Each structure stands twice: as C-alpha cells, then as structure tokens.
Amino acid sequence: STNWIKAIALADVPDEDVIAVQAGGREIALYGVEGNVYATDNLCTHGNARLCDGFLTGHEIECPLHQGRFDVRDGRALCSPLRDNLATYPVRIEDGVVFVAL
Ligand code: FES
C-alpha cells in the first residue's frame, strides 16, 4: 500500500521556487509551479549537490553545481552532464497539508 508521508504545510511551499523537506528519513525537494506541487529527490543524480540550492524556471530545476536540468514533473534529465533521471514522488494535498508517497 502507498505510504503517504506528511511533508509540509501547503502555505510553506514557495510559488515558482523550491524548498527541501525531511520526509520518511530522506530529503525531498518540493516545487511550487503554477499552483501545483511536485516532489523529487533533493540530491542531484550527477553529484553531491542539493537541488533546493538550484534555480527553478517553469518546470525545470537547474542544479547549482554543473547546471544540469531536470523536469520536476517526471524527473527526466534534460541535458548534459546529467545521465540519470531523478526520482519523483506522487503528491497529495489535503486540508492544506502536502503529503508525499514514498
Ligand atoms: Fe548536478 Fe553535476 S551535480 S549537474
């Protein structure tokens, strides 16, 4: 069965920006994009960089270390030097709280 973990208040998810949260013993990046919330691993698949320190433009998060870009909706790696896609997690919003399925 799906394990929904309480992540953060919806009001604390920044608009058109990224924030990191601890959920289920790991660090997840949450993105507010056009009224939707997306969740991915916070660690870049290319190296030791946290995507919450990167730059969100539309649905694309740019890694702060080598400027690799992922689509936050499906974790797809969009350019070099990235080779591996990013893990994404389903998001559910209930009563102003964001839950993530881990
Ligand atoms: Fe993210 Fe290299 S660590 S692109």
Side-chain angles (χ1 to χ4, degrees):
S1 67
T2 307
N3 193 17
W4 290 100
I5 308 276
K6 189 174 175 175
I8 194 173
L10 179 59
D12 291 335
V13 177
D15 283 335
E16 317 307 326
D17 206 351
V18 53
I19 189 171
V21 297
Q22 298 290 334
R26 58 183 117 173
E27 197 168 68
I28 304 293
L30 294 176
Y31 311 86
V33 185
E34 293 168 3
N36 295 309
V37 179
Y38 300 95
T40 73
D41 276 341
N42 194 33
L43 187 66
C44 183
T45 59
H46 179 250
N48 191 20
R50 298 165 83 224
L51 296 174
C52 65
D53 296 327
F55 303 94
L56 184 67
T57 306
H59 291 102
E60 295 183 11
I61 182 69
E62 183 184 86
C63 176
L65 198 49
H66 310 111
Q67 289 72 52
R69 285 180 285 110
F70 298 97
D71 189 318
V72 302
R73 294 171 294 187
D74 57 9
R76 201 156 43 95
L78 299 173
C79 65
S80 66
L82 302 176
R83 281 193 219 98
D84 298 321
N85 294 339
L86 190 62
T88 59
Y89 302 97
V91 170
R92 195 178 81 194
I93 295 165
E94 210 174 283
D95 295 332
V97 176
V98 177
F99 294 83
V100 180
L102 300 180

